Amino acid sequence: MSSTNQVQEPESDGNVYDEQLEMYPEFNRYQYGFYKDFAEADGIKWAGGGWSYEAIPEGLGDDVYFLAGEPYGAVVAYNEEISRDFLNAADAKGLSSDLCGYMVNYWGGLTQNKYVLPDGTVYDQFPDVDFNVNSHICCTHAKWYQKAGELEAVYTDPNGEQTPFFGVDIIGGPNAYDDEDLIEYNRVQIEQMIDWIQEVTGRTFDDARYIKAVKNEMWTMSTWAKVCALQKAHPAPLEERRMFSLYAPSIARRSTDEAPELYARLLEEVTDMVERKATVSGRQDFRFISDSPPPWAHLDIYRYIRDEYNAVSLGSLYSWGLTGAWRGFDGGDEWDWTPLDTPMERGIEIEDRDTAIEEMIKWNMRRPAWNVFGGHLEAKQKVTLAMAEEFDVDFVLMHLNRGCEGWALNQVEVSNYLKDHGIPVLEYEGNQADQRDFDPSKLRQKIDMFMEGRFNA
Amino acid sequence: MSKYTSEHYPEPALEEFRQFRAWVNDPHEYGRAWKERNDGGVVAFFCTYAPRELVYAGGLLPVRAYGGHTASEIAESDRHIYRGMWCPFSRDVLSQGLLGKYDYTDGIVMASTCLHLRQTYQSWSENVSEEGDFQHYFMMPHGAQQDGGVEFLASKLRETLQAVADYTGKEVTEDDLWEAIEVYDENRRLLREIYEFRKEDRPPISGLQALEMVKSSHIADPAEHNELLRSALAKLEDYDGPRRDPDYRLMHISSENDDRRFMYLVEEDLGFDVTVVTEEACVGTRDFWNTTTDTYADDPFMTLAERYLERPPCPNKDWPYRNRMDQISMLADEFNVDGAVLIAQKFCDPHLLDIANERDLLEDEKDIPTLELEFDASVPIGQFKTRLQAFVEQLQTDAVDMEALY
């Protein structure tokens, strides 16, 4: 690409620091747009988790709008005052704050009948949702939308009607994409879901639209992995604090026509940065990876550790593995953080519904995050260690995240494993979406003590 | 010495219930003795969704791993499980393994149920199990109401039975499995028949005894347990011994709860005549309320799969329709319940997800008062006693026709 980023001159070490990413505002525009559309556009509106088979409802038409619950929960959490109101409202209704932080924000917002955009704009009416769909990946996900529909009947639906809900039981784990029984179980449910969404919307499902959406999803996820893989470079072109914005569309709205196109442009720009040894950060005396979603109201912890110690987070199993497509255990027992080509690139033609369903299931089953939520300790240990080694990091920043049991699964064991392999781990307790459960000043003190040790080392 | 120990609990009138108590008092002694007697292996399971029939068909004894309910012991797992958000039961169970309490077991088996017990399984596998132990984890559908679930689970049960056969080195036939299914079906039928006596105005057994009866079914050889159940049932049908005489009939709705101290507190130490007459819990009705059917009579795997998916569900398998609420409603009606204690282990996501609906159902629809309690490894007797006394006093007040007074 003919980049306009050449304005920055290399420093004496040959690197270009503090580069502005051209695509960053494009991603923010896209993200803001789909949240706003969900509030204001006319058409089919459905809500569900970012783990959902998002491509399926695309078969209902061009006017389908999706609200992904976890990214939306993060948006709410990021807006600190609003989040506090929602969380307190949920508490007042007896909805436990020990549950998933995203979900409690979501439920609390429903009880207030309010909807929030990323810039903090608040609507005094939660959008009228046509149906809720979610994939049940942990103890929570299907239950989230089962309850959401009930709350919508009481607090948000003008007619007091419960939003219809369909759950897909997507249980998986390492090599789940090779498990024919599991694929068949998912296929049966998806066929059922296609019938169901036609029934609740009164629309006819269009295979061609669906197939296009499946391919879009694959291109988006594959390309995102290719962007993340560029973090192997020295200096790493991106830092995770900004990657959170770049990755968000891949979980929240990945199967539109625009999504893969955005990611392709992003890949082009970041590839160019690597060739020029450019980075959005300053000096990178320390490289680290994180683990688990961050406390969204306090992303400044990443800025603090960067500004004080020139330590940059490259990414995490969370930001790269939730929607990035990687080869993973394809090569055997050891994890490979090499991006996975799409089925189309591997010569698989997806031209009919059956093939689309099968390839979509396998593709989603490959998500590295399944190794976490599937509860397979050895897999998570290998995945994390491979990431630390392949990306040449100095330590791991581990968020013991009370806001998500799935990401917290096996964390302590992984921490033990990394330390046994000589990789320092800085653990801190917090909550991705409940600011009441996180102490930023205590973390800064902990970071200071830890980094002092790194300098001494 | 604290009165909250089994030697202070009222002695059951029936010898069968005294035996249930003895097994619960020392499950490990039972497990070791069983191995000696049978020259067989013992396999620990963590959740009642692990089909014991498959293990038993292979000549192994499945025993549920329980916590020790001792605050000092539970810290043993802190190096392996994040105590800040994992349920005390999952941590307590692992602690027992790490402390060597289950050193006589020969393996572990786990179906994918809640993430907390999956963590326990993984950490047990990594830190407690020894080379050569049987270790089997398999996918159990969460979508118990979904199409395709029975077929999928049946495929996993086939693999599990093969894993058992591979471990023992002996062929395990479908006939072996049918026999095991029959033994466990009988166990569940008998437990339910005995529960019928808890519906009586003056029940012959206490909630504590019922808890010990069900918990011991997770410890003892089911064939041996069945013998005692049959014997107890025969005696209960013509029973003229001491009975409970409750002024207040309570039920509890729980995530895992095997805490006898709690049951003793409720029934013996509140200063009121309270009896726990039923429960919706996995150490209770959730585990045994249904048996297999003849829908898939020619296929033991499909038969077993259907039974596990049709059982009263754990909350994380109860969607999109809320079958649990129907079950809770039925139990409250049939056992004539005056009040309900809603118990969730601290951080138990599945049950915390349902507790608001349980409260709405009982309070708003059925006019049954509720009390929510959060369990840790050990019960805070003093605090719970105050809250439970206030709750029962509230039931007392509710029983008075206030309008008539004015």
Side-chain angles (χ1 to χ4, degrees):
Chain A
M1 112 187 240
S2 60
S3 173
T4 57
N5 290 335
Q6 307 292 347
V7 290
Q8 295 277 28
E9 292 298 320
E11 302 284 336
S12 56
D13 59 5
N15 297 336
V16 177
Y17 294 112
D18 299 317
E19 176 141 319
Q20 298 298 309
L21 194 67
E22 274 185 39
M23 288 303 293
Y24 194 68
E26 285 288 297
F27 273 74
N28 284 340
R29 175 196 55 75
Y30 181 65
Q31 187 174 190
Y32 187 84
F34 57 68
Y35 284 116
K36 192 162 189 287
D37 284 348
F38 191 78
E40 297 183 1
D42 293 325
I44 298 292
K45 294 180 183 176
W46 69 282
W51 302 80
S52 302
Y53 288 116
E54 185 205 314
I56 297 171
E58 293 296 304
L60 293 174
D62 286 336
D63 57 345
V64 174
Y65 302 96
F66 170 45
L67 179 66
E70 305 93 334
Y72 176 69
V75 162
V76 175
Y78 181 76
N79 289 283
E80 209 170 339
E81 293 297 319
I82 298 165
S83 175
R84 187 177 292 122
D85 287 347
F86 286 9
L87 293 166
N88 289 340
D91 281 354
K93 300 293 179 193
L95 305 168
S96 173
S97 57
D98 283 334
L99 293 167
C100 165
Y102 293 151
M103 179 181 71
V104 178
N105 273 283
Y106 194 97
W107 285 356
L110 291 179
T111 67
Q112 298 293 291
N113 195 17
K114 291 187 188 303
Y115 177 73
V116 183
L117 297 185
D119 65 355
T121 302
V122 177
Y123 291 77
D124 286 328
Q125 170 68 52
F126 194 84
D128 189 14
V129 182
D130 292 291
F131 59 87
N132 289 320
V133 167
N134 208 355
S135 295
H136 195 60
I137 51 159
C138 57
C139 298
T140 300
H141 266 64
K143 303 295 286 186
W144 173 338
Y145 286 91
Q146 180 187 44
K147 184 71 182 172
E150 294 166 358
L151 292 172
E152 281 155 6
V154 177
Y155 298 104
T156 72
D157 189 277
N159 303 314
E161 291 177 0
Q162 192 167 318
T163 308
F165 166 63
F166 189 94
V168 178
D169 184 13
I170 195 176
I171 45 175
N175 303 323
Y177 53 87
D178 277 342
D179 187 327
E180 289 179 10
D181 296 320
L182 184 58
I183 291 167
E184 173 63 12
Y185 178 40
N186 270 256
R187 190 196 62 72
V188 169
Q189 293 179 82
I190 286 165
E191 292 283 8
Q192 193 183 4
M193 176 181 160
I194 290 171
D195 292 343
W196 183 85
I197 58 175
Q198 293 182 97
E199 188 182 320
V200 297
T201 62
R203 292 206 179 175
T204 302
F205 188 79
D206 180 342
D207 283 352
R209 287 183 201 278
Y210 164 61
I211 291 164
K212 183 162 63 102
V214 168
K215 291 178 180 175
N216 285 341
E217 174 183 72
M218 290 167 171
W219 285 117
T220 297
M221 294 166 72
S222 172
T223 311
W224 173 238
K226 287 170 183 158
V227 172
C228 297
L230 293 172
Q231 291 290 82
K232 286 180 183 171
H234 288 259
L238 304 172
E239 59 177 331
E240 192 181 23
R241 187 173 63 86
R242 300 190 199 196
M243 292 177 87
F244 289 139
S245 294
L246 301 173
Y247 116 98
S250 74
I251 184 74
R253 206 67 183 103
R254 59 186 171 276
S255 61
T256 64
D257 290 343
E258 187 175 0
E261 189 260 333
L262 275 176
Y263 279 95
R265 288 166 58 201
L266 175 68
L267 177 63
E268 198 175 350
E269 181 177 359
V270 179
T271 302
D272 174 69
M273 289 173 69
V274 170
E275 286 167 2
R276 293 185 294 106
K277 299 186 78 172
T279 174
V280 296
S281 80
R283 281 175 49 210
Q284 298 178 358
D285 294 343
F286 297 96
R287 294 157 63 96
F288 67 95
I289 55 174
S290 69
D291 185 69
S292 193
W296 290 106
H298 295 280
L299 290 180
D300 54 345
I301 61 170
Y302 288 87
R303 192 192 299 272
Y304 177 78
I305 197 167
R306 185 199 65 188
D307 292 349
E308 294 293 321
Y309 301 103
N310 292 330
V312 173
S313 179
L314 307 186
S316 61
L317 175 56
Y318 161 67
S319 55
W320 299 1
L322 190 50
T323 54
W326 305 87
R327 286 191 190 163
F329 288 116
D330 266 4
D333 288 340
E334 299 306 317
W335 182 268
D336 180 0
W337 281 102
T338 300
L340 179 72
D341 288 337
T342 63
M344 294 77 81
E345 291 170 295
R346 286 180 272 129
I348 297 171
E349 291 185 7
I350 302 176
E351 303 299 341
D352 59 84
R353 186 198 289 190
D354 289 347
T355 309
I357 289 175
E358 183 171 341
E359 292 302 320
M360 179 190 70
I361 293 168
K362 289 179 182 173
W363 184 258
N364 279 278
M365 291 285 178
R366 283 178 167 279
R367 298 194 199 193
W370 282 124
N371 300 304
V372 184
F373 284 74
H376 296 263
L377 171 59
E378 189 183 357
K380 187 175 181 187
Q381 288 170 329
K382 286 182 173 178
V383 169
T384 312
L385 180 64
M387 188 179 212
E389 290 179 343
E390 287 185 37
F391 289 81
D392 188 23
V393 306
D394 299 292
F395 63 92
V396 175
L397 179 68
M398 183 170 283
H399 178 202
L400 299 174
N401 179 6
R402 279 190 284 264
C404 177
E405 56 165 6
W407 284 108
L409 187 64
N410 289 323
Q411 272 191 307
V412 178
E413 295 286 19
V414 172
S415 179
N416 294 339
Y417 182 79
L418 292 169
K419 289 170 193 165
D420 288 346
H421 284 78
I423 296 174
V425 181
L426 170 55
E427 296 172 6
Y428 71 99
E429 295 180 83
N431 191 311
Q432 63 192 12
D434 189 341
Q435 61 203 280
R436 304 168 302 182
D437 210 3
F438 175 64
D439 182 346
S441 62
K442 188 175 166 188
L443 176 58
R444 282 191 206 97
Q445 287 176 355
K446 204 169 181 185
I447 288 170
D448 291 342
M449 292 170 66
F450 179 83
M451 292 309 297
E452 195 175 320
R454 299 277 61 71
F455 278 113
N456 291 336
Chain B
M1 189 180 190
S2 169
K3 61 185 177 183
Y4 283 88
T5 52
S6 66
E7 53 265 40
H8 291 90
Y9 300 156
E11 185 167 87
L14 297 179
E15 62 179 346
E16 291 80 4
F17 284 86
R18 294 198 288 275
Q19 183 60 61
F20 296 144
R21 176 166 297 171
W23 285 339
V24 171
N25 283 345
D26 196 345
H28 308 306
E29 183 190 345
Y30 180 87
R32 288 192 182 92
W34 187 93
K35 279 185 75 165
E36 273 196 32
R37 280 201 312 273
N38 295 280
D39 193 24
V42 174
V43 172
F45 65 97
F46 301 104
C47 168
T48 55
Y49 270 98
R52 280 154 270 169
E53 292 88 341
L54 299 165
V55 174
Y56 195 64
L60 305 168
L61 178 67
V63 297
R64 188 174 188 185
Y66 278 100
H69 298 286
T70 307
S72 59
E73 289 182 351
I74 194 173
E76 191 68 22
S77 60
D78 285 357
R79 194 172 173 271
H80 304 284
I81 299 184
Y82 175 35
R83 67 179 299 161
M85 68 175 293
W86 295 90
C87 88
F89 177 64
S90 65
R91 293 187 289 122
D92 198 4
V93 169
L94 177 63
S95 294
Q96 298 301 303
L98 292 165
L99 288 164
K101 301 285 180 71
Y102 285 88
D103 60 1
Y104 57 93
T105 59
D106 303 282
I108 51 177
V109 64
M110 178 71 187
S112 55
T113 51
C114 72
L115 265 63
H116 297 244
L117 285 176
R118 286 192 226 177
Q119 165 82 74
T120 299
Y121 174 89
Q122 296 291 334
S123 285
W124 188 299
S125 174
E126 174 117 336
N127 303 291
V128 180
S129 294
E130 295 174 355
E131 198 172 338
D133 278 3
F134 178 71
Q135 296 183 60
H136 190 72
Y137 175 96
F138 68 96
M139 288 183 262
M140 159 77 69
H142 297 297
Q145 301 168 28
Q146 301 295 94
D147 285 356
V150 172
E151 291 80 2
F152 173 68
L153 179 55
S155 73
K156 295 300 153 193
L157 297 181
R158 276 189 198 93
E159 291 173 8
T160 303
L161 192 70
Q162 186 57 52
V164 170
D166 292 345
Y167 172 74
T168 60
K170 298 172 192 165
E171 185 188 7
V172 186
T173 65
E174 289 196 0
D175 285 344
D176 295 330
L177 182 54
W178 279 120
E179 282 178 29
I181 288 170
E182 180 46 39
V183 171
Y184 278 97
D185 270 355
E186 183 182 10
N187 192 255
R188 294 185 178 108
R189 268 195 303 271
L190 290 167
L191 287 168
R192 192 164 163 180
E193 285 178 43
I194 288 181
Y195 263 49
E196 286 297 307
F197 291 94
R198 301 180 76 190
K199 293 178 178 174
E200 295 179 359
D201 289 342
R202 299 181 64 227
I205 58 173
S206 67
L208 173 61
Q209 290 171 26
L211 173 66
E212 291 172 333
M213 173 178 69
V214 178
K215 185 174 176 182
S216 62
S217 76
H218 299 168
I219 294 166
D221 186 317
E224 198 175 349
H225 202 260
N226 285 348
E227 283 180 30
L228 285 188
L229 290 175
R230 282 193 293 269
S231 173
L233 192 58
K235 291 176 184 175
L236 285 169
E237 280 164 1
D238 193 22
Y239 182 76
D240 61 357
R243 289 175 176 270
R244 309 285 299 178
D245 190 12
D247 290 332
Y248 307 100
R249 301 169 66 88
L250 298 188
M251 73 182 294
H252 69 85
I253 298 167
S254 304
S255 45
E256 198 284 333
N257 170 28
D258 65 297
D259 201 314
R260 292 189 291 169
R261 299 167 80 228
F262 172 76
M263 300 298 278
Y264 177 77
L265 166 64
V266 173
E267 296 189 311
E268 309 297 338
D269 204 25
L270 293 183
F272 297 100
D273 289 325
V274 175
T275 296
V276 177
V277 292
T278 192
E279 74 289 309
E280 200 272 341
C282 65
V283 192
T285 57
R286 271 209 305 275
D287 182 42
F288 67 75
W289 206 253
N290 78 325
T291 57
T292 61
T293 72
D294 58 4
T295 307
Y296 303 102
D298 58 343
D299 186 334
F301 300 101
M302 293 286 282
T303 297
L304 206 50
E306 184 203 39
R307 136 63 205 162
Y308 277 89
L309 295 181
E310 290 292 323
R311 59 167 274 188
C314 176
N316 75 349
K317 297 185 189 299
D318 193 30
W319 49 270
Y321 185 75
R322 291 186 182 275
N323 284 321
R324 274 192 80 223
M325 298 306 138
D326 293 346
Q327 179 76 2
I328 290 168
S329 181
M330 178 275 293
L331 290 170
D333 289 344
E334 291 197 2
F335 288 83
N336 192 22
V337 165
D338 300 311
V341 183
L342 313 182
I343 297 169
Q345 293 271 337
K346 175 78 176 162
F347 302 125
C348 173
D349 290 80
H351 283 269
L352 291 173
L353 282 158
D354 265 13
I355 211 161
N357 289 71
E358 293 164 11
R359 189 180 54 236
D360 291 349
L361 167 75
L362 292 164
E363 298 261 0
D364 299 343
E365 293 181 32
K366 302 188 75 67
D367 201 23
I368 294 174
T370 64
L371 172 68
E372 290 178 33
L373 293 177
E374 187 174 81
F375 266 37
D376 209 322
S378 60
V379 171
I381 296 294
Q383 185 199 103
F384 278 12
K385 186 173 182 176
T386 304
R387 294 183 63 192
L388 282 157
Q389 283 174 329
F391 178 61
V392 176
E393 281 166 5
Q394 178 200 339
L395 297 179
Q396 202 172 27
T397 308
D398 288 349
V400 175
D401 185 347
M402 299 301 286
E403 283 187 20
L405 288 177
Y406 297 97

